[in-house]
Amino acid sequence: MKAVYFQGNEKVLIKDISIPKLQGGDVLVRVKSSAICGSDMKRYYSRSPHEIIEGHEICGTIVDSKSARWCEEENVVTYALSGCGICPACRSGARMQCDNLNYVLGGFSEYIAVKENDCLPLPEWMNHDDGAILGDCAGLAFHTLKRQNACSGQRVLIIGLGPVGMGMGLMANAMGLKNIVADINSFRVNLAKKLELGHVIDLNTIELDKALANTPDIDIAIDCAGREATQLACMRHCRKNGKVALVAGNTRLTLNPIEFFLTKELQVSGSWYYNFKEYKNITEFIKDKYQPSCIITHHFMLDEAQQAFELFASGNCCKVVLHP
């Protein structure tokens, strides 16, 4: 089978390797759609080659099974995180909190062997593209907004319109929130307008502080950009007693606790991924509201992986999907 390997220095190589062998309880999935995530780019930008097949946003069809739970020809979505299965976090569905966490990787290939407990059924109304981007672009948004106890009519600020931010805007729309979304990327600003994500702020033309100067109270502010400046902006513009969610990764943040936590009494939390047990609620909630795949802007065949990663790195896109 064909698989993509990162060679370092922003180069990828397509290799021919053996199809994975199954262990007891495994299923072999023929990958139909595999989406590029920002976290994949760490290996893409690395200065040295890696012998790991990346890709954790995967949807495909089972072609072989050693599981009593899954049959051939079933369409499945893979959950990106695999836990021990027995700790309190795993039993509650919060695998992201498992101390023995592993990633379900290998989507940038034709086939992947997946443990039976790491598969979820693809609803009939969804296509493979919907399934591939569901976790990062719908599941995370659902999980985040539910954690904020978001209610219809509340005003939400979303900074950063990459795939995660765009998915957050779609979910907020579906929940009846009043969206204010902002980004500096012109391509994504225009896509947000096309998708009618609410009041769209182009940070190329106006500073965020000026754009929000006369805005009514913001109940929830969500950082999807992962910058110190954007995280602080979320705290600054959220109303007193409001809620702030940090979704994008950032390792440095200097703030004044008195200003944000004591005086304003903000509730600040983080979200990484959705709870495994939320999957059914997520898929049932968005049915008849929107297709997750509406934020996919480009498709590439696996052989075109180099072009796909170059485009994703340029930022002139939203979600990019590879098809073996």
Side-chain angles (χ1 to χ4, degrees):
M1 70 171 188
K2 295 178 180 178
V4 177
Y5 286 85
F6 293 123
Q7 297 301 290
N9 299 301
E10 304 176 27
K11 298 295 181 185
V12 305
L13 178 67
I14 310 296
K15 294 184 180 180
D16 285 314
I17 62 173
S18 299
I19 294 175
K21 294 183 179 180
L22 301 183
Q23 306 294 323
D26 288 352
V27 296
L28 184 66
V29 176
R30 173 72 166 96
V31 179
K32 296 292 187 179
S33 297
S34 183
I36 297 176
C37 175
S39 61
D40 297 319
M41 303 304 286
K42 296 176 184 177
R43 307 246 185 206
Y44 176 73
Y45 290 124
S46 172
R47 295 305 174 191
S48 58
H50 292 270
E51 292 304 314
I52 297 173
I53 304 172
E54 291 285 341
H56 59 267
E57 299 185 41
I58 309 162
C59 188
T61 304
I62 295 175
V63 294
D64 192 10
S65 175
K66 290 189 178 295
S67 165
R69 294 176 52 188
W70 298 100
C71 301
E72 293 180 21
E73 299 185 6
E74 288 189 273
N75 292 310
V76 293
V77 174
T78 64
Y79 190 77
L81 307 173
S82 183
C84 70
I86 58 175
C87 69
C90 285
R91 290 200 302 270
S92 70
R95 295 187 184 185
M96 68 287 281
Q97 308 301 333
C98 178
D99 290 334
N100 296 299
L101 185 69
N102 290 297
Y103 292 89
V104 179
L105 300 174
F108 300 145
S109 63
E110 292 185 283
Y111 296 92
I112 179 175
V114 186
K115 295 178 182 178
E116 61 182 0
N117 293 330
D118 297 335
C119 292
L120 292 159
L122 180 71
E124 291 185 1
W125 66 270
M126 284 189 182
N127 57 44
H128 290 109
D129 288 343
D130 291 320
I133 71 168
L134 180 73
D136 280 14
C137 302
L140 174 57
F142 183 91
H143 179 73
T144 299
L145 290 167
K146 285 296 183 181
R147 291 196 68 200
Q148 310 312 310
N149 294 316
C151 300
S152 178
Q154 287 186 312
R155 196 174 308 277
V156 59
L157 169 66
I158 300 168
I159 304 179
L161 291 172
V164 169
M166 207 73 73
M168 196 73 67
L170 287 169
M171 185 64 71
N173 263 359
M175 290 184 177
L177 276 70
K178 298 176 181 178
N179 292 357
I180 303 170
V181 301
D183 203 296
I184 199 169
N185 182 306
S186 297
F187 182 96
R188 291 168 178 174
V189 164
N190 289 331
L191 179 60
K193 292 177 180 178
K194 180 180 178 181
L195 294 174
E196 299 180 344
L197 293 190
H199 176 53
V200 182
I201 299 173
D202 183 351
L203 297 177
N204 283 301
T205 61
I206 187 172
E207 294 180 355
L208 185 65
D209 290 350
K210 291 182 179 179
L212 297 177
N214 298 312
T215 300
D217 284 349
I218 292 170
D219 302 291
I220 302 169
I222 305 174
D223 173 62
C224 297
R227 300 288 187 271
E228 181 176 36
T230 57
Q231 292 179 342
L232 290 173
C234 283
M235 296 182 200
R236 190 167 62 251
H237 290 289
C238 190
R239 66 168 172 80
K240 294 177 181 179
N241 299 307
K243 298 177 180 179
V244 175
L246 307 181
V247 176
N250 175 39
T251 60
R252 297 286 186 273
L253 181 60
T254 302
L255 52 77
N256 181 346
I258 293 177
E259 179 184 1
F260 296 125
F261 302 146
L262 278 70
T263 306
K264 289 188 73 173
E265 293 193 351
L266 293 178
Q267 298 179 46
V268 182
S269 62
S271 292
W272 180 20
Y273 203 53
Y274 70 98
N275 186 296
F276 189 83
K277 293 184 177 181
E278 288 177 312
Y279 180 77
K280 184 177 180 181
N281 290 338
I282 294 164
T283 55
E284 289 181 349
F285 178 77
I286 64 174
K287 184 180 180 181
D288 300 325
K289 291 183 174 69
Y290 69 92
Q291 298 277 150
S293 56
C294 69
I295 67 170
I296 296 174
T297 55
H298 296 83
H299 298 262
F300 291 89
M301 301 305 294
L302 199 64
D303 288 333
E304 302 171 312
Q306 182 66 49
Q307 297 99 296
F309 281 98
E310 288 176 0
L311 174 66
F312 194 83
S314 77
N316 295 317
C317 57
C318 191
K319 207 60 178 172
V320 177
V321 175
L322 291 173
H323 303 281

